[in-house]
Structure formats: C-alpha cells, structure tokens
Amino acid sequence: MGHHGDLAPLDYQPALPLSRGKVAMWLFLSTEVMFFTGLIGSYIVLRFGAPAWPTPHDVHLSEPIGVLNTFVLICSSVTIVFAFEAARKNQPWMAKLFLFLTFLLGSVFLGVKTYEYGQKFQHGIYPQNPPSMYERADATYLGAVRNRLNVLKLEMAGGVQVDEPSYGDATWNLLDFSARHERLQAATPATSVPDDDADEADDNDEPGEEGKGSDVEVPFVNIARSWGDDFWTLSGRVFRDLTVGPPEDVSPEEGQRRIDEVIQPLLARTEGPNVDIPAIAAEIRGGSHGSSGDHAEEKGLNDEHPWLRLPIVIPGGVMWANTYFLLTGFHAIHVLVGLIAFLIILPRRLDRRRAPVLENLGLYWHFVDIVWIFLFPLLYLF
Amino acid sequence: MTEHEHTHDEHAEGEHAHESHGSTKLYLSVFAALCVLTGVSFMTTAPWWHANVPPMAGWLFMLAVAVAKAVLVALVFMHLTWERSWKYVVTIPAVFLATGLVLGLIPDIMLRQESYSEERQRAAAAPWQVENPAAHGHGE
C-alpha cells in the first residue's frame, strides 16, 4: 500500500496474471491452432468432396499402428506433466528422468512414422512425383502400364544404347511415342556415331531434327519416370549416351526369364481391340480390398514381382497421398522441433527455477498431442 | 482471488491437490480415460462397426471422441482448468475459426461435384467396387 502524502501514489497493476513466457507460448499456440485448423479444415472438405476415396487397405494404412502412435503420444504427454510437477516440487532428477522418458516416447513416435512412410513408398505411394497412382482404369492408365512394361523390357534385355536425351520433365504418352518413333525412323539415316553436340540441345529441340541417328531401334520411352528406383533423381534428369541395362543383381538369364514369363504376356494382354482394363488393374492391385479386416488374397502383381512396379489404380489415391503426407509431415516436423527443445533443456538442472520452462515446453508438447488426437481419427478412421 | 499466487514456499513433498495444479491421481485418471477413449475409437475399425453403424453417425461419434480427448488434455494437462478468464480469449476464437472455415469451404469444395459437366463426370474417379464389377467378383 502506498504511503500517505500529497500525491496519490502510483500503483502499478500487473498486466496479466501470468508470466510473460506463458503469454508468449499461448500466443504462439494460437497461431499454431490457426495453422493446423487451416490444414485440417481443408482436408475435411477435400475428403468429403472427393468422388472417391481409398480405403485404408488400398493405401497400406494400418489403423493399429495409428492407435499405437496415439498411445505413445498420450504417454509422453503424461510424462511431461510429471516432469513439470517434479520440477515444481524441486526434484531435479525426477524431472530429468520424466523429461528423458518424454523424449524417448517422442522418438518412438517418429520411428513408427518412418516405418509407416516406408510402407507407403514401398508400394509406390508418394506425396507427389512420380505418377504411380491413377484414378480410373482407363486408356491413360493402360498407356502408363504399357510404358512401364516397355521400359522394363528394355532394361531386362540389356545393352541398349540410347542416344537421344530424355528432356527433363517431358512425359511421352503412347501416341507421342509411336508418332515420333516413325518420324525418327523415316527422317534420319542410320549412323553409328552419336552426335556429341548434345550440349547445345535444349528443350525446344525436336528429337530427330538434329540429324542424330541410331542403329538400334529404341522406343522413345520416358525412362526417368518409374517409381521406386532412385527416388531422389527422378524427373529433371537429362540422359546423354545412356546405356540401359538390367540392374547389377539381375543376370541376363534372369532378365530374359522375366521378359518371357511376366513382361511379354502382360504386354500381349494390353494389346488388341478389346482389352479388359479393369481386370488388368484389379490383377495389378491384388485381391479383396475391403476394410483392413480382410487381408486374404492380398498379393497383387506388384507384390508378387517387386521389380515390376507397375502403376496402380487407386481412386482418390493422389488426393489422399497429398493430404496424408502434408498433414502427418507437418505434424512430424512439430514433433521433431519438440524433441530438439527437449534435448536443449535436458542437460540443465531442472529445479524449481526451471519449472516455468518445463511448463511452457509442456504446453507445446500437449498441443502437438492434441493435433495428433484430431489427426488420428480423421486420417486413419474416416 | 489473489491468494492464487503460486505459493512455492509451502512444502512440496505431498501429493495433495494444490490450488493451481492437479494431483498425481488426477493426472493418472485422465491418462486412463484417454486410453479408454483411444480404445473406443479403435473399436470403430472392427467389422461389426462397419456393418451396423451408418457412416455419418460413425464420423460424428469419432469426432466427439476426439473432441473429448482434446478437451481432457487441454483442461488438465495444460492446466487450463486452473487458469483465469484469458483462456476463453484463446480457445473460443479458435473454435470459431475451425467451424467457420469448414462451413465456408463446403459449398465451393465439398459440393463441387454438383456442378460437374458430363465430360468432367466421365473423367472423375469412381469407387473401386462400383466401377469395376470384374474386380468386385475377384476376391470379395
């Protein structure tokens, strides 16, 4: 209380009944809420506005693993609360133990996520490129399947010299391919010397007009586009004097066997007037694809022959992949940031003085947990 | 009201419920409730759920479970129960944003198929069983 004098004493009121650190953290959390609300809201409208949406089984999404991740994060929320309580009660070693447990559980979450992403990549489901998922089993899809089979045939036959560069991102469909091939054959005389002025070539050059030729009949396929090979070097690559051959671990006999037993029969089925495209798509995809309960007859062609990596028809798959990877990716980044923060705080002495720091860290971590609590049913159960 | 200042001077060994924080028992019971709720949402993946519950009811139920879990975490783990009125300033606009955003996007994005042309309809994806009766007989 102020002393009595001539002037009324100045009486400062506290601005807020909480510490500045907490104010800052809550302000930050409100921006994070806006961030995730935008993402999750977009996901909701996109998912329910889509003409078709894949079942979890279609996209190799495992609900039990999602439940495991949810449980792990809930446990980590509890441990960080106990860490804060221990620090408040001035028990630094207990606080450190609980904080370390939280860090461990968060790492387990990220590890499980990595495994899940690996499952998706293994079956050709990527966030964006390459185009391995198609919406319908129609002629475009058939063209993509044939393209991949032709590329495989080239690879397995081995020893083919490709003189023409593949122009970066260009995707040649089958109509393009056959027309250009014919023009190439008609316009250029066969030479055996590749033109090394390929450095001058840019995207505007038409293949075949540079006067280059080849004495090997090579279908002009987009070799760079098959998924699973070498993810980080897909698209944007320009090939020069490329020799296409089977991978190192495939002997020429094995390559020939693959062509005779798998590739050629499939190619034959994709030709002719009345191709049953849905049946081919179903065979590539595999057996019953209801909810995750039935795993009977799972083997599709891509599972039986892992080297095939044919494009698959997953209605709604592209949109699903985009939203799934975006939402879980951003969430995983937030988890990672939390883990880094734990690592920074862990070496310090976590006594009562540091309790507010733990409280604010806990607020961030609980927010990350809340986001996952919403993400889990939206992505895995809907 | 101001006696809620965090009196850190008092002995801190006991587990009694402090004015502005929960007790260990409270945290553990919330943890148990969260586990139960997670199990409940896992239950919605069971075949009998898909067979008996209409999809919309299922989605609303799952959202309700998620909201319940989030509220538990926010109130107890984030100590919002023991905070003062500023918590409403933080949380209520977020609720407005969430509902308003989704409601605003529904006519444009969620209902876009209503204005599809014939040609667009033909190119759109179709669910697997509907489009591919050949596949349907394959392994069901």
Side-chain angles (χ1 to χ4, degrees):
Chain A
M1 301 296 130
H3 48 273
H4 302 286
D6 291 317
L7 297 165
L10 284 172
D11 206 12
Y12 288 102
Q13 300 288 339
L16 280 166
L18 68 170
S19 67
R20 284 170 295 181
K22 215 191 232 188
V23 172
M25 181 51 81
W26 273 109
L27 275 177
F28 172 63
L29 287 184
S30 55
T31 65
E32 292 279 81
V33 164
M34 286 189 263
F35 177 72
F36 277 104
T37 311
L39 288 176
I40 294 181
S42 311
Y43 166 78
I44 291 177
V45 288
L46 284 170
R47 186 248 180 275
F48 288 104
W53 201 256
T55 65
H57 199 203
D58 288 338
V59 285
H60 304 274
L61 188 67
S62 166
E63 289 106 325
I65 293 191
V67 175
L68 169 72
N69 261 352
T70 311
F71 179 69
V72 164
L73 267 190
I74 290 178
C75 288
S76 70
S77 267
V78 179
T79 52
I80 203 172
V81 165
F82 284 146
F84 167 58
E85 288 293 317
R88 216 173 46 84
K89 295 181 198 154
N90 213 17
Q91 298 166 345
W93 289 109
M94 286 294 282
K96 206 178 277 268
L97 170 70
F98 278 119
L99 190 62
F100 182 66
L101 275 179
T102 315
F103 173 77
L104 269 185
L105 287 167
S107 312
V108 166
F109 176 87
L110 280 185
V112 173
K113 241 288 115 298
T114 312
Y115 166 75
E116 279 187 292
Y117 276 21
Q119 287 285 299
K120 311 286 178 302
F121 296 160
Q122 202 187 7
H123 289 98
I125 300 172
Y126 293 94
Q128 197 192 5
N129 279 328
S132 59
M133 284 183 286
Y134 285 79
E135 300 282 315
R136 300 179 80 103
D138 57 4
T140 319
Y141 173 64
L142 187 70
V145 171
R146 287 176 54 85
N147 194 42
R148 172 67 183 152
L149 287 172
N150 279 321
V151 169
L152 276 174
K153 212 164 125 179
L154 266 186
E155 281 184 356
M156 297 301 159
V160 172
Q161 182 88 13
V162 177
D163 297 325
E164 305 280 344
S166 153
Y167 291 101
D169 245 315
T171 306
W172 305 108
N173 60 32
L174 278 185
L175 298 176
D176 236 353
F177 141 69
S178 52
R180 282 173 191 273
H181 188 57
E182 280 163 31
R183 268 189 292 152
L184 188 66
Q185 295 293 300
T188 64
T191 67
S192 47
V193 179
D195 187 0
D196 265 331
D197 271 344
D199 300 326
E200 306 291 320
D202 59 20
D203 289 320
N204 296 324
D205 283 348
E206 287 281 296
E209 287 172 10
E210 298 158 342
K212 291 167 44 177
S214 161
D215 55 0
V216 176
E217 277 189 27
V218 173
F220 198 97
V221 292
N222 192 343
I223 295 173
R225 284 311 238 193
S226 58
W227 55 270
D229 269 328
D230 196 354
F231 180 61
W232 301 106
T233 62
L234 289 170
S235 83
R237 261 174 76 179
V238 177
F239 294 89
R240 307 205 189 280
D241 295 331
L242 173 74
T243 301
V244 181
E248 285 84 35
D249 54 340
V250 176
S251 64
E253 299 81 33
E254 168 69 11
Q256 194 58 43
R257 182 198 75 84
R258 287 180 181 180
I259 294 182
D260 294 331
E261 289 181 21
V262 183
I263 301 174
Q264 199 53 48
L266 265 176
L267 259 180
R269 283 174 59 192
T270 63
E271 281 159 3
N274 293 319
V275 181
D276 189 355
I277 308 180
I280 294 178
E283 201 177 312
I284 294 176
R285 187 177 126 131
S288 83
H289 272 257
S291 69
S292 66
D294 22 329
H295 279 278
E297 300 180 59
E298 156 118 34
K299 291 284 181 188
L301 280 177
N302 282 337
D303 296 309
E304 268 182 60
H305 310 283
W307 48 268
L308 253 185
R309 296 197 291 266
L310 294 169
I312 18 180
V313 171
I314 304 180
V318 180
M319 186 59 81
W320 180 90
N322 277 316
T323 48
Y324 172 81
F325 282 112
L326 190 74
L327 285 173
T328 56
F330 269 125
H331 181 259
I333 291 175
H334 282 75
V335 171
L336 188 65
V337 166
L339 293 184
I340 293 174
F342 293 156
L343 277 180
I344 294 176
I345 299 294
L346 262 175
R348 326 243 171 199
R349 182 172 161 77
L350 300 171
D351 52 6
R352 189 184 289 153
R353 224 171 32 91
R354 286 260 158 64
V357 174
L358 276 181
E359 183 176 23
N360 293 333
L361 254 188
L363 285 177
Y364 176 78
W365 193 250
H366 292 131
F367 172 73
V368 165
D369 188 19
I370 287 181
V371 170
W372 181 256
I373 283 174
F374 279 110
L375 277 189
F376 165 63
L378 286 171
L379 288 175
Y380 288 73
L381 303 179
F382 270 32
Chain B
M1 216 171 349
T2 49
E3 68 265 20
H4 277 288
E5 306 302 325
H6 295 206
T7 50
H8 291 297
D9 307 327
E10 58 183 81
H11 64 95
E13 293 305 322
E15 281 184 14
H16 64 278
H18 193 270
E19 289 285 359
S20 54
H21 295 283
S23 64
T24 309
K25 201 162 72 132
L26 175 65
Y27 293 137
L28 285 177
S29 30
V30 169
F31 172 59
L34 286 172
C35 290
V36 164
L37 285 171
T38 309
V40 161
S41 46
F42 182 51
M43 187 187 68
T44 66
T45 65
W48 61 264
W49 181 275
H50 289 293
N52 294 329
V53 180
M56 182 61 81
W59 293 327
L60 285 176
F61 176 74
M62 288 183 236
L63 266 185
V65 166
V67 167
K69 280 161 57 174
V71 162
L72 274 177
V73 171
L75 281 182
V76 178
F77 288 169
M78 294 170 99
H79 302 331
L80 277 183
T81 328
W82 301 283
E83 299 282 6
R84 294 158 69 147
S85 305
W86 57 264
K87 65 190 176 199
Y88 302 117
V89 178
V90 172
T91 49
I92 293 183
V95 173
F96 284 159
L97 176 68
T99 46
L101 180 78
V102 176
L103 286 176
L105 289 175
I106 287 178
D108 282 332
I109 301 183
M110 209 188 278
L111 301 176
R112 68 185 191 275
Q113 287 179 77
E114 317 255 321
S115 51
Y116 269 6
S117 64
E118 280 263 356
E119 200 180 335
R120 179 70 187 91
Q121 192 69 45
R122 254 182 281 130
W128 188 249
Q129 272 75 30
V130 168
E131 180 194 56
N132 302 294
H136 185 76
H138 209 263
E140 288 271 301

